[in-house]
Amino acid sequence: MLRVAINGYGNLGRGVEQAITKNADMEVAVVFTRRDPATVTTQGAPVAHVDDMAAWADKVDVCLNCGGSATDLIEQTPAAATLFNTVDSFDTHARIPEHFAAVDAAAKASGHVALISAGWDPGLFSMLRVLGEAVLPDGATTTFWGPGVSQGHSDALRRIEGVLDAKQYTRPVEATVAAVKAGDDVELTTRSMHTRDCYVVAEEGADRARIEREIVEMPNYFADYDTTVTFITAEELAAEHAGIPHGGSVIRRGHTSAGVAETVSFELQLDSNPEFTGSVLVATARAVARLAARGETGARTVFDVTLADLSPTSPEELRAHYL
Ligand code: NDP
């Protein structure tokens, strides 16, 4: 039985816990939190404060770091890698080289394996981008995100004066997705690829025209997209927008000879982004335990694990039934 620690108990931490209920070869040994453990209720696993992590070094095989990418994981993963084999879902793409180097140093020094940036993007989508390019070198890869909730954009809406609560959905432009799959000559711009739909609960008496203007003109977040703003009540937000769905697609379109085109596409439709991301982290934990058992140390990414290492099924069974 693989003994897993969950480090950080937010949406993703709970998603990992739920994913482990579907994996018979693993159990949650402990949940670590920076909060008072008495205030955190799990599905059954004990809760310990992060300051007491060292006491669990011999009782945990892999620690899944579930903090936020913005500020948590940069510190959380190197710290945890001094004690455990680890996996995280670090998704700040521009800072991945820097994060990898820090984690690699910590993991090598302590003799552990620490896999960073697992999940679906980065994660499964990254694997498909590499596979597509390897198989179809003469081509182009396009990634679309959504339909799904963007936590960062929802936060940006909530910071606007007069906004009580909000949810933002990113949606791929279907006509553009179809054109990419068909190999049509379509211009790929921020605006032509995705739209943004905002559902906003405004304070009573707030100037809705001003709020809408501030949203659609917000640089980096909304100004470069076709953005719709819909004002709804707090009750409607709770009833109709409580979930955290997401998804997207990676499309590789290439030519194997003149006029001969091949298209590979990989698509996700997720009712729950954290439960799916948690499921990827759990499979990755299995692979990390196997890498560590073979004596490997240092930082790794999804590019370094084999499909056989991710699978609970034996290599013999895989060869017999999956090839
Ligand atoms: P949350 O904001 O829900 O949780 C982040 C941390 O905040 C938790 O680990 C927890 O730490 C703390 N926290 C959670 N709830 C509370 C609370 N009620 N009060 C105080 N603190 C709380 O983030 P998510 O779990 O939704 O996302 C984590 C990261 O996962 C994201 O930043 C994103 O980068 C990444 N991600 C990656 C994906 C991929 O495909 N690679 C896909 C989806 C997400 P503690 O218990 O220590 O207090």
Side-chain angles (χ1 to χ4, degrees):
M1 191 66 86
L2 195 74
R3 301 163 303 172
V4 172
I6 298 173
N7 185 13
Y9 197 65
N11 295 315
L12 183 56
R14 288 191 297 273
V16 164
E17 181 181 44
Q18 181 56 30
I20 287 175
T21 67
K22 306 284 183 188
N23 286 270
D25 58 338
M26 316 194 176
E27 64 187 8
V28 184
V30 61
V31 170
F32 298 126
T33 183
R34 293 162 293 188
R35 288 168 276 163
D36 175 358
T39 65
V40 173
T41 307
T42 68
Q43 286 188 27
V47 184
H49 196 271
V50 280
D51 291 348
D52 301 326
M53 255 186 185
W56 291 84
D58 297 335
K59 304 183 193 96
V60 167
D61 299 306
V62 184
C63 176
L64 302 189
N65 298 316
C66 297
S69 289
T71 53
D72 294 343
L73 292 172
I74 285 278
E75 292 175 5
Q76 210 169 55
T77 302
T82 64
L83 296 167
F84 309 107
N85 300 308
T86 68
V87 176
D88 79 19
S89 70
F90 187 70
D91 69 358
T92 311
H93 292 255
R95 296 188 71 187
I96 285 175
E98 168 198 343
H99 186 51
F100 185 91
V103 172
D104 192 44
K108 276 191 179 134
S110 66
H112 291 107
V113 176
L115 192 144
I116 67 157
S117 301
W120 59 277
D121 198 357
L124 298 188
F125 275 17
S126 322
M127 295 162 94
L128 267 293
R129 284 189 284 260
V130 171
L131 188 62
E133 192 179 284
V135 174
L136 294 171
D138 176 13
T141 304
T142 313
T143 304
F144 291 94
W145 294 277
V149 173
S150 164
Q151 225 65 55
H153 287 76
S154 301
D155 288 345
L157 296 175
R158 288 189 212 105
R159 284 197 296 269
I160 294 173
E161 196 191 322
V163 172
L164 288 175
D165 205 352
K167 205 120 191 198
Q168 194 271 178
Y169 295 86
T170 307
R171 299 188 198 283
V173 176
E174 289 308 326
T176 310
V177 176
V180 167
K181 279 186 181 164
D184 294 345
D185 191 17
V186 61
E187 199 192 6
L188 295 177
T189 63
T190 301
R191 196 175 296 277
S192 75
M193 292 179 73
H194 297 97
T195 57
R196 297 199 179 275
D197 292 347
C198 309
Y199 292 86
V200 176
V201 181
E203 276 172 18
E204 212 173 307
D207 181 350
R208 293 183 171 199
R210 192 253 316 150
I211 291 174
E212 180 164 353
R213 201 168 51 244
E214 276 194 40
I215 294 172
V216 298
E217 291 176 357
M218 194 185 294
N220 302 321
Y221 283 85
F222 297 104
D224 297 332
Y225 298 84
D226 287 341
T227 300
T228 63
V229 179
T230 308
F231 290 95
I232 59 175
T233 64
E235 292 72 29
E236 284 169 329
L237 191 77
E240 291 158 33
H241 303 279
I244 316 179
H246 220 312
S249 56
V250 175
I251 302 164
R252 179 72 181 179
R253 170 115 178 144
H255 286 90
T256 46
S257 60
V260 179
E262 329 286 0
T263 304
V264 180
S265 70
F266 177 77
E267 192 174 318
L268 293 178
Q269 288 175 26
L270 313 175
D271 278 352
S272 168
N273 183 2
E275 287 188 13
F276 182 76
T277 304
S279 301
V280 179
L281 261 56
V282 163
T284 311
R286 182 182 295 118
V288 160
R290 289 172 174 167
L291 264 52
R294 294 200 288 266
E296 296 192 25
T297 64
R300 296 288 185 277
T301 70
V302 290
F303 303 142
D304 305 311
V305 298
T306 67
L307 294 175
D309 281 339
L310 290 166
S311 173
T313 305
S314 72
E316 295 76 18
E317 284 278 300
L318 290 176
R319 284 194 292 275
H321 302 295
Y322 291 72
L323 278 175

